[in-house]
Amino acid sequence: MAITAALLDRFFPVDDAGLTRLRDQVRLVQLPAGQSVFHPGDVCNNYLVVVDGCVRVQVLSAGGREVVLYRVGSGESCVITTSCLISHEAYPAEGIADRQTTALVIPQQVFDEALGLSADFRRFVFSSQGQRLGELIQRIEDVAFGRVDTRLARLLVDRSHNGTLPVAATHQQLASELGTAREVISRQLKVFERKGWIAVRRGSVEVLQLPALQQMGDVEAGG
């Protein structure tokens, strides 16, 4: 797939001499929904920047449950991929395209060269790394110490775009998002449904009372 000059300029400015080879070597790929991007144990050979779409990064817990660590959206890169490129270690997690995703792919040798030659590229890579690490630490704290009801409420508010769209997800997928068991999510959804806050459909959840969910989601943050 051809890359337009406008797309390159969006991420890698033409006036940065340190990015000349990168602009020549970068590829544009299309990832269909559900396609695996990387597996645990895979060798990391490329740096990836999502142009459009979303890549879900998850791990398998000791108990056999999938736990979503974070998502990589438009204009973002994967913190685990960057870490593996720099440390030359294998992937410890799995990446899956949540929906059809377009991404820029940069070979490791070109990535290493650009890091050394371009200050702008270094800032892009490491600012993304710092932000993602902060989000990942917060995610771990939520899974370890957060209440399921408040976290589920926040997730439903976020995934429904503030109540404007149904949340297209199964109970198992919601459980993976929150790092808990499907049975726990099913029980909590029933509680929300009995209160009239949501309507549970097959494979989706409709938000009926956005203010109530927003208030529940703020309980923990507000103490």
Side-chain angles (χ1 to χ4, degrees), residues 37-38 47-57 68-81 94-99 101-103 128 132 135:
V37 182
F38 51 82
Y47 182 71
L48 182 144
V49 178
V50 172
V51 175
D52 184 58
C54 181
V55 174
R56 182 177 75 253
V57 180
V68 177
L69 298 178
Y70 56 85
R71 282 179 164 79
V72 185
S74 176
E76 297 176 341
S77 59
C78 173
V79 61
I80 288 178
T81 295
E94 180 180 25
I96 301 171
D98 247 355
R99 55 183 184 271
T101 298
T102 305
S128 299
R132 278 292 177 194
E135 292 172 358

Side-chain angles (χ1 to χ4, degrees), residues 50-211:
V50 172
V51 175
D52 184 58
C54 181
V55 174
R56 182 177 75 253
V57 180
Q58 61 188 34
V59 294
L60 196 65
S61 73
R65 294 202 304 265
E66 290 179 347
V67 179
V68 177
L69 298 178
Y70 56 85
R71 282 179 164 79
V72 185
S74 176
E76 297 176 341
S77 59
C78 173
V79 61
I80 288 178
T81 295
T82 305
S83 176
C84 291
L85 281 173
I86 293 172
S87 64
H88 298 277
E89 294 185 355
Y91 277 107
E94 180 180 25
I96 301 171
D98 247 355
R99 55 183 184 271
Q100 181 167 309
T101 298
T102 305
L104 294 169
V105 176
I106 303 166
Q108 171 151 24
Q109 184 177 356
V110 179
F111 169 82
D112 292 341
E113 182 181 291
L115 273 185
L117 295 176
S118 171
D120 286 340
F121 186 65
R122 285 195 298 274
R123 279 192 291 270
F124 174 77
V125 170
F126 292 115
S127 65
S128 299
Q129 194 78 349
Q131 179 182 351
R132 278 292 177 194
L133 282 174
E135 292 172 358
L136 189 53
I137 291 170
Q138 182 62 55
R139 174 70 172 146
I140 293 169
E141 290 179 350
D142 285 345
V143 171
F145 308 113
R147 287 172 41 179
V148 171
D149 55 355
T150 58
R151 293 166 55 218
L152 178 58
R154 287 199 296 267
L155 179 63
L156 293 174
V157 170
D158 180 61
R159 292 284 296 275
S160 68
H161 298 275
N162 287 320
T164 60
L165 295 171
V167 179
T170 65
H171 293 196
Q172 181 58 60
Q173 288 168 333
L174 292 173
S176 297
E177 290 280 348
L178 298 178
T180 188
R182 180 185 60 78
E183 294 78 10
V184 173
I185 294 300
S186 296
R187 285 197 299 270
Q188 192 58 57
L189 287 172
K190 288 179 181 177
V191 171
F192 288 173
E193 191 169 37
R194 283 198 298 269
K195 292 180 176 181
W197 296 357
I198 62 172
V200 178
R201 318 290 188 196
R202 183 176 179 85
S204 70
V205 178
E206 183 181 355
V207 172
L208 302 178
Q209 295 292 334
L210 179 64

Side-chain angles (χ1 to χ4, degrees), residues 9-22:
D9 292 344
R10 174 182 166 191
F11 293 100
F12 315 119
V14 67
D15 58 355
D16 188 335
L19 297 178
T20 301
R21 183 159 181 257
L22 186 152

